């Protein structure tokens, strides 16, 4: 996006994806991302006295991976760049961020199942590993997170075979 030479033609267009309907000019509706987050991109807590932050130590490797995933700003560039309009880089960053932390363990399986289900319902395409999402991501979210999400989803499917499709 930032590499061009003087005199080159630059095409400016809105994000192209069926799940991001154009509202006007370059403005698109990305609320599909919000609904995916609402489906599981959170940690539920009973609020009361604030817990001491040091009661849940997180190893450096896990903390670094979680922070790498948390860098996603939900811009949607990955979807727009993908020939399949896949949202898997975005969803995998959100699933991986919480799966990497102790606070995210309780809802880990439910989160993976519900977020992937919502992603599918929103009409995003499947990943065929072309890597265009990773190439345009302003936060350098790695394709490795898609592999992690697939593992998370597969494990959740196996452990919840009787309830898949009904988990909320
Ligand atoms: S391009 Fe990167 S930062 Fe933007 S939504 Fe996709 S994964 Fe997140």
């Amino acid at each position: 996006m930032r590499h061009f030479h003087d005199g080159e033609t630059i095409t400016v267009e809105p994000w192209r994806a069926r799940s991001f309907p154009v509202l006007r000019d370059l403005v698109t509706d990305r609320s599909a991302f919000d609904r995916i987050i609402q489906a599981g991109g959170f940690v539920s807590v009973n609020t009361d006295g604030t817990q001491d932050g040091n009661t849940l130590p997180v190893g450096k490797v896990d903390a670094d991976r979680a922070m790498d995933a948390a860098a996603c700003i939900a811009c949607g560039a990955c979807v727009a760049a993908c020939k399949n309009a896949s949202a898997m880089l975005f969803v995998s960053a959100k699933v991986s961020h919480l799966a990497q932390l102790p606070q995210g363990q309780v809802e880990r399986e439910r989160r993976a199942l519900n977020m992937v289900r919502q992603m599918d319902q929103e009409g995003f395409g499947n990943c065929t590993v072309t890597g265009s999402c990773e190439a345009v991501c302003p936060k350098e979210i790695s394709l490795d997170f898609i592999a992690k999400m697939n593992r998370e989803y597969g494990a959740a499917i196996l452990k919840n075979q009787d309830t898949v499709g009904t988990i909320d």
Side-chain angles (χ1 to χ4, degrees), residues 42-136:
F42 51 82
V43 173
S44 298
V45 291
N46 295 322
T47 54
D48 197 351
T50 308
Q51 195 175 33
D52 187 305
N54 294 326
T55 56
L56 276 178
V58 180
K60 175 153 175 43
V61 172
D62 284 337
D64 285 350
R65 287 282 289 167
M67 290 303 291
D68 286 348
C72 169
I73 54 173
C75 64
C78 49
V79 174
C82 177
K83 66 174 184 170
N84 306 319
S86 170
M88 288 187 75
L89 195 64
F90 162 75
V91 179
S92 69
K94 301 307 177 189
V95 167
S96 301
H97 165 210
L98 295 173
Q100 209 76 37
L101 296 172
Q103 294 90 337
Q105 298 310 305
V106 173
E107 294 161 302
R108 185 172 178 169
E109 293 162 18
R110 189 188 320 170
R111 176 180 308 112
L113 292 172
N114 286 346
M115 291 186 78
V116 170
R117 181 177 65 180
Q118 188 66 35
M119 174 181 73
D120 290 341
Q121 286 177 357
E122 297 291 347
F124 292 104
N126 281 326
C127 173
T128 51
V129 203
T130 63
S132 52
C133 55
E134 185 186 58
V136 300

